[in-house]
Amino acid sequence: MTGDWTAWPGERFSLGEGLRRVGERLIMVDILTGRLLALPADGEPEVLLQLAEPLGAVAPRPGGGWLAAAGTGIAVLGDSGVERWLARPEDGARTAMRMNDAVADPHGRFWAGSMAYDTTPGAGSLYRADPDGTVTRVLGDLTVPNGPAFDADGTTMYLADSAKGVIHRFAVEPGTGRLAERAEFATVESGSPDGMTVDAEGFLWSAIWGAGQVRRYAPDGSLDRVVEVPAEQPTSVHVDQDRLVVTSATVGLAEPGEFDGAVLSIAL
């Protein structure tokens, strides 16, 4: 325990990310080690599978397995790893690239961002994988895209560009997935907006890398709440009934503290 926070036992992750509930399981990834993990209510995280390349985030497939933002593209994963690639759009880029955060929207589309390992400004993109397996580049000129996160009906998307300290809001055409109106939703001056989720009230939660915080924003973009986290680099956030669960990272920290890299939870 630290204050009202509880830390999962065991490993402290280099770049823990991608929290979400899938059925009865709470899952996450450790990006740089290519691992997908399940978080039991009691006990240490369990490795479900491991890839030989970075694993940014996953979403379950209706027929079993996972869609994944992995390596330089979007893949279908089975129990033992990659079954097939839908596309590897960042192969052959001028600078070394990898996929980062990703999520499925309420209509079954999978949205995944890419970034340069050296965070070259504007080198990243946002891709959309439709249910038929078609992959489309929908946005460019991103540096470190995080999220996206969708409202309940999938007509609003939030996307952070962490390096620029900004969260954008987009109107989404539900039938096609086409992005329409774009607006600046919120800016972060201390720290960087990282992983996000939208709760049942339509409020956006964002992990704030470098500031040791999670922030909750109202639908109009006003700051509703700040929750202090005992880890310097929170990376993703999940609202799990009456608890807030947060992943964090040790990468880049010269002297990680006790809870840096931990998965943490607190009652709301």
Side-chain angles (χ1 to χ4, degrees):
M1 296 286 292
T2 172
D4 293 324
W5 286 92
T6 301
W8 258 259
E11 185 175 355
R12 300 301 187 244
F13 296 100
S14 172
L15 192 52
E17 259 275 17
L19 271 174
R20 61 209 53 183
R21 181 162 291 282
V22 178
E24 297 299 315
R25 296 189 296 188
L26 189 62
I27 65 163
M28 62 170 286
V29 299
D30 189 32
I31 292 179
L32 299 180
T33 64
R35 292 179 297 165
L36 174 64
L37 304 104
L39 298 170
D42 297 304
E44 298 186 12
E46 171 194 357
V47 177
L48 301 178
L49 60 85
Q50 183 166 9
L51 306 183
E53 48 202 324
L55 177 58
V58 303
R61 298 181 68 226
W66 309 90
L67 280 175
T72 55
I74 297 174
V76 175
L77 306 183
D79 292 339
S80 59
V82 175
E83 291 185 350
R84 61 188 174 94
W85 291 93
L86 298 184
R88 304 196 76 166
E90 298 296 358
D91 273 0
R94 292 183 179 181
T95 187
M97 303 286 292
R98 69 167 176 84
M99 303 304 291
N100 197 43
D101 205 356
V103 73
D105 71 15
H107 302 283
R109 304 181 186 98
F110 186 65
W111 303 73
S114 68
M115 61 174 285
Y117 277 97
D118 65 1
T119 64
T120 297
S125 298
L126 180 68
Y127 298 93
R128 186 190 70 232
D130 291 323
D132 66 0
T134 302
V135 175
T136 304
R137 181 176 183 261
V138 293
L139 282 175
D141 194 29
L142 301 170
T143 301
V144 182
N146 268 297
F150 288 85
D151 65 358
D153 62 8
T155 59
T156 300
M157 182 185 81
Y158 299 94
L159 180 71
D161 195 336
S162 300
K164 298 177 182 177
V166 63
I167 300 172
H168 295 285
R169 180 177 58 202
F170 297 82
V172 185
E173 292 184 358
T176 64
R178 189 178 75 84
L179 299 183
E181 178 187 350
R182 173 176 179 164
E184 187 175 286
F185 177 73
T187 58
V188 176
E189 295 181 359
S190 177
S192 301
D194 205 312
M196 304 182 292
T197 193
V198 178
D199 66 20
E201 297 178 84
F203 284 60
L204 180 75
W205 296 79
S206 176
I208 309 299
W209 173 285
Q213 295 177 343
V214 171
R215 298 181 186 177
R216 186 183 192 238
Y217 293 93
D220 64 2
S222 61
L223 183 61
D224 171 75
R225 190 186 314 179
V226 176
V227 181
E228 301 292 336
V229 180
E232 184 175 342
Q233 298 176 159
T235 53
S236 68
V237 57
H238 176 70
V239 181
D240 197 32
Q241 297 178 348
D242 60 350
R243 296 195 71 81
L244 183 67
V245 187
V246 179
T247 54
S248 64
T250 61
V251 64
L253 295 178
E255 296 182 5
E258 181 181 359
F259 298 103
D260 289 315
V263 182
L264 299 152
S265 72
I266 192 172
L268 293 174

